[in-house]
Amino acid sequence: MEGQGLQQLAGADMASQSSEGIIKLSREELEALKAAFEEGNLAGVASRLQEMLESLESIQLDVGITGETGSGKSSFINALRGLGDEDAGAACTGVVETTREPTPYQHPQYPNLTIWDLPGIGTPDFHPDAYLEQVGFSRYDIFFIIASQRFTTNHAALACHIQAMDKSFYFVHSKVDVDLDSSLRRRPSSYSEVGVLQEIRQNCLEGLQAQGIRSPQVFLLSAFDFSKYDFHLLGETLERELSHHKQHAFLMALPNISLHILEKKKAAMLKQMWLVSTVACGVHAAPIPGLLISCDVDVLARTLQG
């Protein structure tokens, strides 16, 4: 197992620096690992790989969710965490603003992901610069700016400030299921879901561009059914744009709403398996009574639990 695992780790994925893999090494690091392996120094190799595993497991991803009162911020947060609005530990929802200070919500299964419910931005005295200072701008890796109707000057002003500070943000048009239902009631004979969605998306993009947002990214979602509309596009966008380890944290925490997401998680776990097995059998390995193997059982147990 040890030799096969290391050979897998030192294979084409690492050599090509693939963006799909969970391990990225420089050519010098790769050569050093291969030399140590050829010399039979598994403990040295495993120790280096343990550092990578610990880095992967400890990475934190902080996501800020903001928008105007009643836009569906809290329902969006709950859906990302795989919870219903009435579940224990869910973010409070309502038609009035319930968030006065940034409120953190850890993912129930993946505590490395923290989603922050930020105060609403719809007040008359809203100032983007003061708002970002109030919520602790530097804390967040990415922002979601939520709107359930049109994106306003407040949304655009906040996005411009975030953009100027070189942080990533994404516009989410929530409650798109309500828009579709309303359109169906008004125009039942000419209704086209694809047409309505395209109309909403184009309207959002044009409105934001008119307010000075460069290349806005707008995703149409319903917190009540992430398997529909643009959630898969949002996931793929974040996978491309997040830093390497944060991609892994986000992927693992995604709700299991589609075969596509499950296949991506499976592929990531299969690649991580060789890293885990090499570390478990090469660092702090202890004999297991009744079996002719030695390994770090705690490392394996954590992986199995995940």
Side-chain angles (χ1 to χ4, degrees):
M1 176 193 286
E2 295 164 358
Q4 185 182 14
L6 189 56
Q7 288 168 350
Q8 288 278 345
L9 287 169
D13 282 343
M14 292 168 63
S16 65
Q17 299 290 291
S18 166
S19 63
E20 295 291 331
I22 62 166
I23 307 169
K24 289 189 177 182
L25 297 177
S26 67
R27 186 165 297 280
E28 292 76 15
E29 288 174 316
L30 179 58
E31 290 300 326
L33 282 178
K34 291 170 74 174
F37 174 67
E38 290 167 358
E39 294 168 3
N41 182 16
L42 178 62
V45 174
S47 178
R48 173 73 181 100
L49 296 178
Q50 183 183 34
E51 294 176 10
M52 298 180 190
L53 180 61
E54 290 173 351
S55 174
L56 189 69
E57 293 178 341
S58 63
I59 196 72
Q60 295 292 317
L61 178 60
D62 289 275
V63 178
I65 310 293
T66 188
E68 294 182 340
T69 301
S71 61
K73 291 189 291 122
S74 297
S75 291
F76 181 72
I77 290 170
N78 293 334
L80 279 178
R81 298 168 67 223
L83 300 177
D85 289 349
E86 294 183 333
D87 290 343
C92 295
T93 58
V95 295
V96 297
E97 181 61 46
T98 58
T99 307
R100 302 300 179 189
E101 299 291 336
T103 304
Y105 293 94
Q106 279 190 324
H107 192 283
Q109 280 78 45
Y110 297 94
N112 289 17
L113 174 63
T114 302
I115 306 172
W116 293 79
D117 190 0
L118 305 182
I121 62 173
T123 59
D125 57 349
F126 169 74
H127 298 287
D129 49 353
Y131 176 85
L132 290 173
E133 182 178 352
Q134 173 195 350
V135 301
F137 172 83
S138 61
R139 173 190 295 142
Y140 312 104
D141 297 290
I142 57 175
F143 289 85
F144 289 115
I145 302 175
I146 313 289
S148 58
Q149 297 177 356
R150 293 180 180 273
F151 288 101
T152 67
T153 55
N154 284 338
H155 296 108
L158 180 60
C160 285
H161 275 70
I162 296 173
Q163 196 169 53
M165 296 180 187
D166 201 28
K167 289 269 189 174
S168 297
F169 62 92
Y170 306 91
F171 292 102
V172 171
H173 182 91
S174 63
K175 303 183 182 180
V176 71
D177 53 326
V178 176
D179 295 329
L180 290 169
D181 183 64
S182 177
S183 180
L184 176 60
R185 291 174 182 275
R186 290 197 311 268
R187 297 175 291 180
S189 61
S190 60
Y191 174 79
S192 165
E193 179 175 302
V194 173
V196 174
L197 291 174
Q198 181 58 31
E199 183 181 338
I200 295 171
R201 183 179 289 106
Q202 192 63 31
N203 182 267
C204 290
L205 292 173
E206 290 176 355
L208 289 166
Q209 289 168 345
Q211 297 184 65
I213 304 300
R214 303 189 306 271
S215 304
Q217 299 189 74
V218 177
F219 300 92
L220 312 183
L221 301 177
S222 167
F224 296 108
D225 194 345
F226 269 176
S227 65
K228 293 183 177 180
Y229 317 120
D230 287 348
F231 187 75
H232 66 289
L233 295 176
L234 176 60
E236 290 172 0
T237 299
L238 290 174
E239 282 185 66
R240 288 195 307 269
E241 298 185 1
L242 285 173
S243 64
H244 181 61
H245 280 5
K246 292 183 187 293
Q247 291 175 15
H248 184 75
F250 179 78
L251 174 62
M252 290 298 101
L254 279 178
N256 297 323
I257 59 173
S258 70
L259 178 60
H260 179 70
I261 289 176
L262 288 171
E263 287 176 339
K264 280 184 171 291
K265 288 189 179 186
K266 176 185 175 182
M269 288 180 172
L270 286 173
K271 291 183 178 181
Q272 186 179 2
M273 188 182 302
W274 295 110
L275 172 60
V276 171
S277 62
T278 304
V279 170
C281 294
V283 180
H284 308 307
I288 298 180
L291 298 175
L292 298 177
I293 61 171
S294 297
C295 70
D296 186 331
V297 176
D298 289 340
V299 170
L300 297 180
R302 287 201 307 272
T303 303
L304 286 171
Q305 184 179 21

